[in-house]
Amino acid sequence: MKSCGSCQYQGIQYADQLKMKQKSVEELLGGFCKVEPIIGMKDPRFYRNKVHHVIAKDRRGNILNGFYEERSHNVVSVSECMLEDKKSQEIIATIAGLTKSFKIFIYNEDNGSGLLRHVLVRKGFSTGEIMVVLVCASPIFPSKNNFVKELRRQHPEITTVVLNINDKDTSMVLGERNITLYGPGFIKDTLCGMTFKISPSSFYQINPVQTEKLYGKAIEYAGLTGKETVIDAYCGIGTIGLAASAKAGKVIGVELNNDAVKDARINTRENKVTNAEFYQGDAGAFMTKMAERGEKADIVIMDPPRSGSTEVFIEAVNVLNPEKVVYVSCNPETQARDLKYFATKGYRVRKIQPVDMFPFTAHCETVVLMSK
Ligand code: SAH
């Protein structure tokens, strides 16, 4: 069987997967402090609320939907994946099937011809709302109204359809422009008792069941009493900061992606939170400015992308001098590097909690508590 390479732990018992992740986090971070036992899932299947397939044509002209093979641009057809939401997979298969009758040309990576490149489906697991994003090389989608009508006839659960324009020769999935073809152009989901608006380009955790456990741990580690100023750095649509806001004096969030910041501000209003503010910018530059202005923070919660944080960010944290730093990471390797740098500023690791956000893959999420 050809493999897409995403399920590195396919065929390994779930209990053994957890043991392997525990061991790998212990190897990377165990030198800093004892590692708590990993928090796993009860049912580790179909957990992904975001399904993304590339659409391609094989040599015989058949339309495929699936993934790129690891470290290559060969597309492996995926008809059934045990990680992804089932309904979302069905929707993508329908779209691939409709391309023929609607004469929609499939994008060709080699010469840049054709239209449809990728399909992204996001589902709010608690609301049931479903967003379909058709990533196309051009904004001109033939008979788009009829296409959407037929898609919705087959899948009435779809609540919004967005056309995303990506005309660049790039490995990035999404382009910058979104055109809403049907519905509001976003979905909502609930997490930790709050409702969140999610736009096509905004980051949103892909495993909502484990996300609640992850955020719960991060907020527990912050040890809030109701008075603290909390920074939510790399905040996305504001989920962690807003979930913590009821227990904090004030929340300040910073995020690079402007669409996500807009979502965070709307999420603040919609959840009637009055003590949270969100800013667009590079987290390191933002923190440096805060430090220069002589501002203070009691707690810094940070959740950077896989590449980790930066020395500039960590230096600014040191000047802001929070009592605690809670570092949420999806990549313990870059986290280990950053923890070493934090240690040079006098921050010691007090707790380490791994959380399995990505069953059947080698990835592992961790929450680390530090204080001086
Ligand atoms: N805490 C959020 C998002 C975590 S993902 C959640 O749990 O949903 C990491 C986020 O960091 C992404 O939203 C990404 O857009 C943002 N990001 C990446 N580089 C950044 C930078 N230099 N400064 C601020 N935010 C950044």
Side-chain angles (χ1 to χ4, degrees):
M1 192 187 81
K2 263 194 159 185
S3 156
C4 72
S6 302
C7 278
Q8 298 98 338
Y9 286 8
Q10 202 175 24
I12 302 173
Q13 290 282 329
Y14 187 53
D16 293 331
Q17 295 180 28
L18 292 176
K19 277 186 205 144
M20 288 162 75
K21 291 191 186 186
Q22 182 77 23
K23 191 164 162 260
S24 101
V25 174
E26 278 169 4
E27 275 165 16
L28 283 162
L29 305 179
F32 292 100
C33 151
K34 180 181 140 248
V35 178
E36 299 293 327
I38 187 166
I39 301 174
M41 289 188 85
K42 256 205 187 122
D43 179 0
R45 299 168 308 155
F46 308 113
Y47 60 82
R48 278 191 73 99
N49 60 9
K50 178 168 114 175
V51 177
H52 156 233
H53 285 192
V54 58
I55 310 288
K57 220 179 202 178
D58 71 9
R59 278 190 213 103
R60 286 190 217 109
N62 299 317
I63 312 281
L64 309 175
N65 61 288
F67 304 129
Y68 288 118
E69 230 173 346
E70 217 179 1
R71 280 183 271 281
S72 98
H73 270 216
N74 295 331
V75 175
V76 180
S77 170
V78 174
S79 55
E80 202 179 323
C81 162
M82 63 176 304
L83 272 48
E84 300 174 335
D85 173 62
K86 276 186 187 158
K87 185 85 229 165
S88 305
Q89 297 186 59
E90 285 168 31
I91 291 172
I92 297 184
T94 301
I95 292 170
L98 285 178
T99 53
K100 256 210 170 120
S101 49
F102 278 84
K103 297 193 174 55
I104 290 159
F105 293 112
I106 306 304
Y107 183 77
N108 180 331
E109 273 208 314
D110 298 328
N111 60 19
S113 68
L115 180 67
L116 184 62
R117 302 181 72 159
H118 310 261
V119 178
L120 189 88
V121 180
R122 272 177 149 180
K123 179 168 165 185
F125 274 12
S126 60
T127 57
E129 295 182 17
I130 296 179
M131 168 162 63
V132 173
V133 183
L134 304 164
V135 183
C136 290
S138 144
I140 300 153
F141 194 96
S143 27
K144 57 177 185 274
N145 294 342
N146 286 336
F147 184 88
V148 170
K149 208 166 148 196
E150 178 55 22
L151 183 60
R152 288 192 51 243
R153 192 188 65 73
Q154 296 196 39
H155 300 285
E157 310 82 359
I158 296 171
T159 54
T160 192
V161 181
V162 176
L163 186 64
N164 176 275
I165 320 304
N166 187 354
D167 53 11
K168 301 212 172 78
D169 180 13
T170 166
S171 60
M172 298 276 286
V173 175
L174 292 179
E176 280 166 20
R177 221 170 121 205
N178 290 310
I179 301 168
T180 303
L181 301 183
Y182 170 76
F186 59 85
I187 52 163
K188 287 184 176 170
D189 198 19
T190 60
L191 266 187
C192 306
M194 292 178 137
T195 302
F196 293 101
K197 171 187 181 234
I198 309 153
S199 293
S201 320
S202 298
F203 178 89
Y204 186 62
Q205 300 284 354
I206 55 100
N207 182 337
V209 172
Q210 293 301 86
T211 299
E212 289 199 330
K213 297 178 195 165
L214 178 77
Y215 289 178
K217 236 343 137 185
I219 294 168
E220 178 197 315
Y221 281 1
L224 302 170
T225 65
K227 294 194 214 89
E228 294 81 4
T229 296
V230 178
I231 293 180
D232 177 5
Y234 310 90
C235 67
I237 61 170
T239 41
I240 300 182
L242 292 173
S245 63
K247 293 183 181 156
K250 187 178 167 190
V251 172
I252 301 168
V254 58
E255 159 66 42
L256 197 58
N257 177 327
N258 200 33
D259 287 342
V261 177
K262 283 187 196 157
D263 286 350
R265 290 180 182 146
I266 291 167
N267 292 331
T268 307
R269 276 203 304 279
E270 299 261 303
N271 289 293
K272 302 194 170 48
V273 173
T274 53
N275 62 343
E277 286 164 14
F278 291 92
Y279 298 94
Q280 191 272 328
D282 166 68
F286 180 86
M287 301 285 277
T288 305
K289 281 218 182 85
M290 268 190 84
E292 281 166 6
R293 288 195 298 263
E295 292 173 33
K296 288 278 164 259
D298 302 300
I299 317 275
V300 170
I301 302 179
M302 57 191 283
D303 183 9
R306 287 189 61 73
S307 52
S309 190
T310 60
E311 291 188 359
V312 169
F313 180 94
I314 296 167
E315 266 156 35
V317 171
N318 183 43
V319 178
L320 288 169
N321 199 28
E323 199 186 304
K324 290 174 191 153
V325 177
V326 180
Y327 187 158
V328 180
S329 166
C330 56
N331 183 353
E333 281 178 31
T334 54
Q335 189 177 34
R337 176 200 69 202
D338 293 345
L339 294 183
K340 266 191 211 141
Y341 199 66
F342 266 111
T344 67
K345 308 286 169 195
Y347 279 93
R348 294 277 169 272
V349 176
R350 311 291 172 187
K351 281 184 175 158
I352 302 173
Q353 176 66 67
V355 179
D356 190 19
M357 300 279 281
F358 317 103
F360 294 97
T361 78
H363 297 290
C364 190
E365 192 93 7
T366 47
V367 190
V368 165
L369 171 66
M370 282 179 275
S371 63
K372 274 199 173 160

